Amino acid sequence: MTTTSATPPLPLRDSTEIQGDVIAGFRKDFVCLLFLQFVDRTRAQAWLADLTPKIATTRQVAAFNRRFSSARRTSGGDDPETLKATWLGVSFTHPGIQLLSGDPAPVPRAPEGTTLEAFAAGAWERAVDLGDVDDSAREHWLFGHNGGRTIHAVLTVASDAPEDLQVAIEAQREAATRAAAVIVFQQNAATLTGERRGKEHFGFKDGVSEPGVAGYDEEDPRRKGYAKAHPGTRLVPPGEFVVGHPRVEVEGDRRRYPAADMPSWMTDGSFQVIRRLAQDVPGWWAQVADQLATLKQVKGAVPANAGVEWLAARMVGRWRSGAPVHTCPTHDPVNDPSATNDNDLSFADDPDGLRTPLFSHLRQSAPRDGLVDGGPVPERFMDARRIMRRGAPYGQPFDPTSGTAGGPDAARGLLFVCYQADLVEQFEFIQKHWINTDDFPPGRKAKPGPDGMIAGRLPDENAGVLHYESAAPDGTGRTTTPLEVRRFVRTEGAVYAFAPSISALKALAQGRLPGGTPTAARVDALLAVPDVQRVGGASHFWMFQRDRLRTVVLPDGQDTTDLVLRPTQDFAGWPALEGVSSVDTIVPIPDLQRVGGRSRYWLFHTVSGTQVYRIVSVADGAAHTTKVEVADRGLDLWRSLAGVSRVDAVLPVPDMQRVGGVSWYWVFHTVAAGGRERQVYRLVSIADGDRHTDTRLRDDAGLDLWPSLTGIDRVDAFLPVPTMQRAAGKSHFWAFHPGGVRTVSIADGEQHTDTRVHDDRPLRDWVNLG
């Protein structure tokens, strides 16, 4: 009997949780990214519920790619015309996750220097540190800039055929319209044709150095730890690309964020970086020609017959065909597949960059065993820096004979897309510590300079200087020649997003995060029904949740909950709420309550990511007719709210209401600090009278100054306990927050001592929140 060794299992190929583009890769010739902003949470959730079954999984894409590769081998290398597919993928920015889940802190812990901090901050906040300044400055971006529309979701559409792509795009644009979504930007990209196929616009083969993934790619039986049929391609643990899976253990690398500290809802998801990189093709090649002329003035720096292609290959580290100059130093072996796909490289014998310059794109983006701090880069350290690239060129190739479309000023470049499990230690590390620094490898007398192909501008005067090393003419020592280069790759947009698992998508479509409470249980604001307070032993309140409201009846009692369920209604029943998608908070105007049979309020809500306020009124009587008294205005009209971008909740100071014609309030609002959001509060006053002059009495302070709120990061709303207002010198309130509801008391007096009366209870304990 003959025995054979079993093939190691490849469980990731059967994953129905990981989106298909992350590990398997869509690998389509035609791609479109739709950047979406939602203005209505309920419609956004309905959109996602309809989209989720259409999202491609790793199992689907892996199976198709295997069939496609097999058919290509059978046809001698040609793409099979009858085997086609169109794939969809989706990712969300931090604001997008907040909107869909209703959770203001979907990543509640964002330690400094971690990927959660980077994700919560977004690409805009990280731009300057990544070299996006001058003509790449974020203020000039086409998408992702702070002055434009907030991006909530990025939809990837990829297809083998342009006509199929267009059909899918039109279907998704219609779906976005039905969801009242705004298409902030549409970015198309496509594989170049003819001799340019598989290359980017500068003319060089792209994607040669993609990593393999353990558990997905087959291992080479002759070389453990490397991918089969891809010499030099190491198998990287899947946790470097997908959250919640095994990661590389790097000794002494303390900055790595423990996977156990990632929110559980991120399991099987991946962080996505998207960058639109414009390429000035004629400018870059003209610069290479200029620098070659400089080198030829230095005796022995370059071969006498070296042409522009020769130096360009050294700027990149590979020839146009993909063959590395390290193993093919004299010419481009275009007809040798083993050379053009060679990824089995070592720079250990070229520490000074005499064959492959230290500033070359190849060595700056993947230094392999080049020098770092005087020693070789450990393989594990390199594995922990790998990213999964999924980009494609956009625009027409440069062709000076073809008119406008192929002219020097036409829009063209690279749509850069990559996936990783750690934004900081993968994409940002490569960008900041290798590509966009002039001191890598470090410690050299003549700094190598930044990546000669794609680096941004550095802050010092030598930012554009590359130091080209060549052997001295006498055979001893080296000659160092400075080359002055300019940037010909420009960032025109950037987004940080997260591609959740299929289960997480289903949960978000229900308005929650996996394992979390549906957002129907979240309270946005509460408002006392003005003429039905303590009437017949009960008080009535309106409860606002997303785009709906309901009446809550609270029987008198020291600390009760609602006992009577009233039907919900949408905002259409309130003319005062026309154009409002959700109420952030609502504040009674102190001297205009039940005046002439009407009560007036300041209502705060958010429009296109910016909070505004309006004045509304509610009439006494069974119908409680509402109307808008003053249309939406900006928060800048409130002097007391200077520096506030979003008011979350307002709590009246119980014993300081209409005292001497002035009322005091604690205003709880959200601020961004260190790349993360946190809630703070300030004390303000509002005077009676037509102008309602407002004044800030105390500056912002943290919630840690409230003993009654210990353990709470954010308060959504306060509701007074009806029978416990200024009773025996204390007032009781229910404090609603993402973790539940607790009862707190506030004492009269200058100190306003606060105390927790009852611990948190689940929101479902309230009939109206179950």
Side-chain angles (χ1 to χ4, degrees):
M1 181 175 66
T2 302
T3 60
T4 58
S5 59
T7 302
L10 300 172
L12 290 179
R13 290 193 178 185
D14 290 324
S15 174
T16 57
E17 283 292 322
I18 303 169
Q19 291 196 43
D21 197 32
V22 178
I23 293 178
F26 287 166
R27 303 181 188 177
K28 299 304 181 188
D29 286 342
F30 303 93
V31 180
C32 173
L33 299 189
L34 295 177
F35 299 86
L36 306 177
Q37 180 192 45
F38 297 103
V39 295
D40 184 283
R41 181 180 295 125
T42 301
R43 290 188 180 184
Q45 291 168 350
W47 169 84
L48 182 57
D50 180 67
L51 176 71
T52 298
K54 304 170 186 174
I55 296 299
T57 66
T58 297
R59 173 188 284 180
Q60 292 170 318
V61 176
F64 178 89
N65 287 349
R66 287 197 299 273
R67 293 196 304 271
F68 193 94
S69 296
S70 177
R72 176 184 278 177
R73 288 193 298 270
T74 301
S75 66
D78 295 328
D79 288 349
E81 294 183 2
T82 58
L83 194 57
K84 298 179 181 179
T86 299
W87 301 127
L88 297 178
V90 68
S91 61
F92 299 97
T93 62
H94 187 258
I97 297 290
Q98 287 176 312
L99 179 138
L100 282 164
S101 69
D103 189 340
V107 287
R109 290 177 298 175
E112 185 177 356
T114 67
T115 196
L116 292 184
E117 179 189 53
F119 176 60
W124 165 271
E125 292 291 340
R126 317 286 281 192
V128 175
D129 284 346
L130 296 179
D132 290 329
V133 295
D134 297 337
D135 58 355
S136 289
R138 56 194 179 181
E139 292 82 6
H140 307 316
W141 288 357
L142 299 174
F143 58 85
H145 57 94
N146 212 27
R149 288 186 174 274
T150 299
I151 293 172
H152 290 134
V154 182
L155 184 64
T156 300
V157 188
S159 185
D160 291 296
E163 59 273 16
D164 294 342
L165 180 77
Q166 190 57 40
V167 169
I169 292 172
E170 291 174 0
Q172 293 308 317
R173 291 182 69 94
E174 290 178 6
T177 300
R178 291 194 299 271
V182 176
I183 298 177
V184 177
F185 196 79
Q186 176 175 330
Q187 179 62 65
N188 286 30
T191 300
L192 301 181
T193 59
E195 294 182 353
R196 296 185 175 95
R197 185 173 179 80
K199 299 177 180 178
E200 46 72 56
H201 281 292
F202 287 139
F204 293 86
K205 187 174 181 178
D206 198 20
V208 179
S209 300
E210 286 300 280
V213 181
Y216 180 85
D217 292 297
E218 290 187 65
E219 186 175 46
D220 188 339
R222 297 170 298 180
R223 192 178 184 186
K224 296 297 182 182
Y226 286 79
K228 183 180 180 180
H230 296 280
T233 299
R234 283 180 55 79
L235 291 177
V236 178
E240 296 306 315
F241 312 109
V242 183
V243 174
H245 289 256
R247 298 185 72 179
V248 175
E249 295 182 5
V250 182
E251 184 178 354
D253 188 5
R254 298 178 180 177
R255 290 174 299 177
R256 307 269 293 156
Y257 192 47
D261 289 345
M262 298 291 280
S264 60
W265 65 266
M266 287 185 162
T267 299
D268 284 328
S270 183
F271 291 98
Q272 183 188 45
V273 175
I274 301 166
R275 289 165 69 81
R276 173 176 158 128
L277 303 176
Q279 293 174 290
D280 179 356
V281 176
W284 189 80
W285 280 98
Q287 175 172 252
V288 173
D290 290 342
Q291 300 312 308
L292 178 62
T294 298
L295 288 173
K296 286 195 171 185
Q297 295 176 12
V298 179
K299 184 178 181 181
V302 298
N305 62 347
V308 173
E309 293 276 351
W310 186 93
L311 180 56
R314 276 145 183 83
M315 300 281 279
V316 176
R318 295 183 184 273
W319 296 93
R320 287 181 185 251
S321 68
V325 297
H326 189 78
T327 55
C328 306
T330 60
H331 66 286
D332 187 353
V334 293
N335 297 317
D336 183 355
S338 64
T340 58
N341 292 301
D342 186 3
N343 195 36
D344 197 3
L345 296 175
S346 169
F347 298 126
D349 59 347
D350 187 23
D352 298 317
L354 297 181
R355 275 184 285 173
T356 305
L358 299 177
F359 56 73
S360 68
H361 178 62
L362 180 60
R363 294 189 74 156
Q364 292 276 308
S365 60
R368 293 170 171 81
D369 50 4
L371 297 183
V372 174
D373 296 330
V377 180
E379 288 182 329
R380 287 180 177 272
F381 186 88
M382 272 297 305
D383 291 345
R385 305 291 175 250
R386 302 310 305 272
I387 58 177
M388 197 66 75
R389 293 182 297 162
R390 300 291 182 228
Y394 69 86
Q396 295 296 316
F398 172 62
D399 184 350
T401 67
S402 64
T404 304
D409 298 324
R412 65 175 58 87
L414 179 69
L415 174 60
F416 175 90
V417 179
C418 72
Y419 295 97
Q420 56 268 292
D422 194 325
L423 290 167
V424 171
E425 296 303 329
Q426 291 171 274
F427 167 73
E428 287 194 349
F429 184 94
I430 295 171
Q431 195 76 12
K432 292 168 62 175
H433 298 285
W434 291 345
I435 287 176
N436 211 47
T437 177
D438 61 349
D439 195 22
F440 177 75
R444 300 182 67 83
K445 182 178 180 180
K447 296 180 179 180
D451 186 313
M453 188 179 192
I454 66 170
R457 184 180 181 275
L458 300 179
D460 59 64
E461 61 182 6
N462 293 318
V465 177
L466 309 180
H467 286 104
Y468 181 90
E469 305 278 3
S470 57
D474 61 3
T476 61
R478 303 189 310 275
T479 297
T480 302
T481 306
L483 303 177
E484 295 187 7
V485 298
R486 292 189 294 119
R487 174 177 176 145
F488 287 95
V489 176
R490 184 176 67 255
T491 304
E492 294 187 329
V495 167
Y496 282 1
F498 185 78
S501 68
I502 302 302
S503 291
L505 293 178
K506 292 177 180 177
L508 286 169
Q510 297 172 8
R512 62 183 177 87
L513 294 171
T517 306
T519 54
R522 178 186 165 187
V523 175
D524 293 325
L526 291 131
L527 177 64
V529 181
D531 57 340
V532 196
Q533 293 298 296
R534 305 292 308 281
V535 174
S539 299
H540 292 219
F541 296 84
W542 287 302
M543 178 183 291
F544 297 88
Q545 296 172 283
R546 296 187 289 175
D547 62 345
R548 306 187 73 80
L549 62 92
R550 63 179 73 185
T551 303
V552 179
V553 179
L554 299 172
D556 288 351
Q558 287 194 352
D559 188 18
T560 184
T561 59
D562 59 327
L563 299 178
V564 181
L565 177 66
R566 295 297 174 92
T568 61
Q569 57 178 308
D570 60 32
F571 283 2
W574 276 43
L577 298 180
E578 183 178 358
V580 176
S581 60
S582 65
V583 175
D584 295 330
T585 194
I586 186 167
V587 182
I589 300 178
D591 57 336
L592 291 177
Q593 294 302 292
R594 305 198 65 192
V595 175
R598 298 194 77 87
S599 299
R600 290 164 176 80
Y601 307 86
W602 291 295
L603 185 147
F604 294 79
H605 68 108
T606 301
V607 177
S608 299
T610 300
Q611 192 179 65
V612 295
Y613 79 97
R614 63 177 58 174
I615 297 177
V616 304
S617 67
V618 179
D620 292 347
H624 291 112
T625 306
T626 72
K627 65 178 180 179
V628 176
E629 300 281 354
V630 178
D632 289 342
R633 297 176 171 183
L635 298 192
D636 57 334
L637 295 181
W638 289 68
R639 294 185 302 174
S640 64
L641 300 182
V644 173
S645 61
R646 186 179 74 215
V647 177
D648 301 321
V650 176
L651 176 61
V653 181
D655 59 338
M656 293 298 294
Q657 294 300 293
R658 304 201 64 194
V659 176
V662 175
S663 300
W664 289 13
Y665 300 86
W666 290 295
V667 176
F668 294 76
H669 66 102
T670 300
V671 297
R676 61 173 297 184
E677 290 187 339
R678 68 185 185 100
Q679 194 179 64
V680 296
Y681 78 98
R682 63 177 57 175
L683 181 65
V684 308
S685 68
I686 302 174
D688 293 347
D690 292 340
R691 299 182 65 83
H692 291 109
T693 304
D694 63 302
T695 304
R696 188 190 328 185
L697 302 178
R698 292 178 193 163
D699 290 336
D700 291 338
L703 299 194
D704 57 322
L705 295 183
W706 288 67
S708 64
L709 301 182
T710 299
I712 293 178
D713 294 325
R714 170 194 169 93
V715 179
D716 293 322
F718 290 97
L719 177 65
V721 179
T723 57
M724 295 295 291
Q725 293 304 293
R726 305 204 61 198
K730 290 185 177 181
S731 299
H732 288 210
F733 297 87
W734 287 296
F736 292 83
H737 60 98
V741 58
R742 69 176 56 169
T743 307
V744 304
S745 72
I746 301 173
D748 292 348
E750 185 177 351
Q751 296 297 318
H752 291 109
T753 304
D754 66 298
T755 306
R756 188 190 315 189
V757 177
H758 293 295
D759 290 338
D760 290 335
R761 292 170 293 170
L763 294 180
R764 63 176 176 271
D765 285 357
W766 285 60
V767 173
N768 282 282
L769 295 176

